[in-house]
Amino acid sequence: MNNSGRIAIIGAGVAGMALAILAAKQGYRVSLYERDEGVSTIGAGVTLWPNAVFVLQQMGLAQQVKAVGGTPGFMRQFDRHGALQGEFDIERVNELSGFPSVTLLRRDLMGILAAALVPLGVEMRFGCAVTPQDIDDLKQEFDLVVGADGRMNSAVRQSLYNDAPYPRYHGFINIIGISQLQPGALDDAIMDFRGQGERFGIVPIKAGLCFWAAAWTTAVDKERPLPGWYEELHRRFQHWPGKVQEVLEGYEERSLNRIFVHDLDPLPYWHKGNVLLLGDAAHAPLPTSGQGACQALEDAWHLVRLLKTGGELEDVLAGFYRQRIAKTTAAQASGRQVAKMIFAGSSTADTKPPSSAPTISAEQLSQFWMQGLAGH
């Protein structure tokens, strides 16, 4: 595929916009289709670990991300009563990786990516919901059609599989939100409070701003009104430590969202002909992996590098899958392991909390995250 190739990207999320930026910079003519009327800001925040910041640097956006984000130095785990169970040195991982870890609001990341598209001549088609039936037309019109249309209802994934794999529910809900506390109320540590079958995570950004997720085991119930879930949130965590209470007293109501947490079993292939899956549409991990956005960014970078080789498209897309499948599957497995440890047991308050003993060193984590990236 040469630089005059036309690429259609379905979905203007992190994966889709990152690919659009990187491809357009290499001279590809890109059209980006998005079902919503604008770039979505759904989601509270995101932690970009060093592998993601590496890709953002290649895109020329790392400084913008760091300017609006925070750089936590530690990850600390507590039981539901606030007793410290363990600490992980994020700064050590950053040092070994050669890139920082950055926390920021999802809306800020999406804004940076969207602004970067403007001078690149990417055709933006908002309010354009692509169906599986539309894919046949697009693959005739474009040299490459990329499905970056998410984990839950990917039209492109449905078009590739006669019996489309459906994401797997893992038995717990996430209520996410954004809170503004007093400056200095939070230190530079990600805080992870765990009970049996319950979890409350707080991720600081800067000047008291943070995003958070409260999780507990439950069956899927989409008929229950959202206020009922938010009332349960307060009831479940009303006796948890003070930082949890501060966050629950200071959130933006419009930032709240309820998510029944799914991931995707590893797929046997990501492409057919000139149609390819990318990001969560291909390999959505649980949020407990911490790697959703990071692996989406890696996908975009790797794909454009392979397209630049000028090889036959079939060889490029098959090579992309071979290059990425082991790492994305490992990220999925990691997220499942953490989720199982927290959510597989009883939610009884007096039950012993999940073990927090470190299972991986800073050296091992850095080596895994930076695997396959230039210079590593």
Side-chain angles (χ1 to χ4, degrees):
M1 186 172 172
N2 57 44
N3 284 4
S4 64
R6 297 188 64 201
I7 302 176
I9 302 171
I10 318 303
V14 172
M17 287 201 288
L19 178 61
I21 292 165
L22 289 164
K25 285 188 172 188
Q26 293 300 321
Y28 296 102
R29 291 181 293 158
V30 180
S31 296
L32 186 58
Y33 295 77
E34 169 55 45
R35 66 169 64 94
D36 292 335
E37 295 298 327
V39 173
S40 173
T41 58
I42 292 175
V46 60
T47 300
L48 299 172
W49 299 104
N51 52 328
V53 177
F54 164 84
V55 175
L56 288 163
Q57 180 165 295
Q58 313 311 304
M59 297 168 66
L61 300 177
Q63 291 305 316
Q64 292 183 51
V65 166
K66 287 189 281 188
V68 298
T71 53
F74 296 91
M75 180 183 293
R76 297 192 178 112
Q77 190 180 117
F78 304 86
D79 67 17
R80 67 187 305 276
H81 305 291
L84 182 65
Q85 303 294 298
E87 180 178 270
F88 189 81
D89 190 341
I90 296 174
E91 290 181 349
R92 177 59 179 158
V93 176
N94 298 345
E95 178 186 347
L96 291 166
S97 303
F99 295 90
S101 299
V102 180
T103 58
L104 75 166
L105 297 182
R106 181 177 172 83
R107 64 192 181 209
D108 289 339
L109 174 61
M110 299 296 278
I112 289 169
L113 293 174
L117 288 170
V118 174
L120 295 175
V122 173
E123 179 187 22
M124 303 290 292
R125 300 188 183 183
F126 289 112
C128 189
V130 173
T131 68
Q133 291 71 36
D134 295 326
I135 305 300
D136 284 337
D137 293 333
L138 290 173
K139 67 185 184 183
Q140 299 302 320
E141 182 181 353
F142 291 88
D143 298 284
L144 176 62
V145 178
V146 179
D149 48 348
R151 76 181 62 205
M152 294 305 295
N153 298 295
S154 168
V156 181
R157 188 171 66 234
Q158 188 176 339
S159 77
L160 290 187
Y161 286 86
N162 292 328
D163 186 13
Y166 192 77
R168 177 188 294 190
Y169 181 54
H170 283 268
F172 67 98
I173 190 175
N174 259 359
I175 304 292
I176 60 173
I178 299 167
S179 293
Q180 178 65 66
L181 310 184
Q182 292 296 320
L186 300 169
D187 57 20
D188 69 339
I190 296 172
M191 291 177 283
D192 182 13
F193 298 88
R194 296 185 186 181
Q196 194 70 42
E198 297 175 320
R199 181 191 196 191
F200 201 105
I202 303 170
V203 182
I205 300 175
K206 58 176 61 175
L209 181 66
C210 68
F211 61 92
W212 51 269
W216 64 88
T217 54
T218 186
V220 173
D221 181 0
K222 295 183 179 179
E223 300 302 317
R224 182 183 182 186
L226 290 177
W229 289 107
Y230 302 152
E231 289 170 9
E232 182 174 351
L233 160 72
H234 284 274
R235 186 170 65 252
R236 277 184 175 269
F237 295 98
Q238 63 182 325
H239 299 302
W240 285 48
K243 289 301 178 188
V244 173
Q245 304 312 312
E246 289 180 48
V247 163
L248 290 178
E249 290 169 4
Y251 60 72
E252 303 173 8
E253 285 199 26
R254 62 187 178 88
S255 74
L256 292 181
N257 196 13
R258 176 219 64 195
I259 301 167
F260 294 105
V261 182
H262 293 70
D263 73 355
L264 195 65
D265 288 334
L267 299 176
Y269 55 87
W270 294 344
H271 85 285
K272 277 185 183 177
N274 65 339
V275 180
L276 172 74
L277 296 173
L278 196 78
D280 277 358
H283 50 73
L286 293 175
T288 45
S289 75
Q291 280 287 303
C294 302
Q295 292 306 310
L297 288 165
E298 280 197 39
D299 275 356
W301 182 75
H302 281 288
L303 179 59
V304 171
R305 279 170 58 90
L306 288 169
L307 289 172
K308 283 168 57 181
T309 64
E312 292 292 329
L313 185 60
E314 173 64 30
D315 295 335
V316 167
L317 301 186
F320 174 70
Y321 179 82
R322 289 193 300 269
Q323 189 173 69
R324 298 291 295 134
I325 186 60
K327 189 171 184 180
T328 58
T329 299
Q332 288 173 306
S334 172
R336 287 182 174 186
Q337 181 180 23
V338 174
K340 183 177 181 180
M341 181 172 63
I342 301 170
F343 300 110
S346 166
S347 60
T348 303
D350 294 331
T351 303
K352 183 180 178 182
S355 169
S356 61
T359 58
I360 188 169
S361 68
E363 289 77 11
Q364 290 170 318
L365 195 56
S366 171
Q367 190 174 52
F368 171 66
W369 279 343
M370 304 309 292
Q371 175 189 342
L373 303 179
H376 294 271

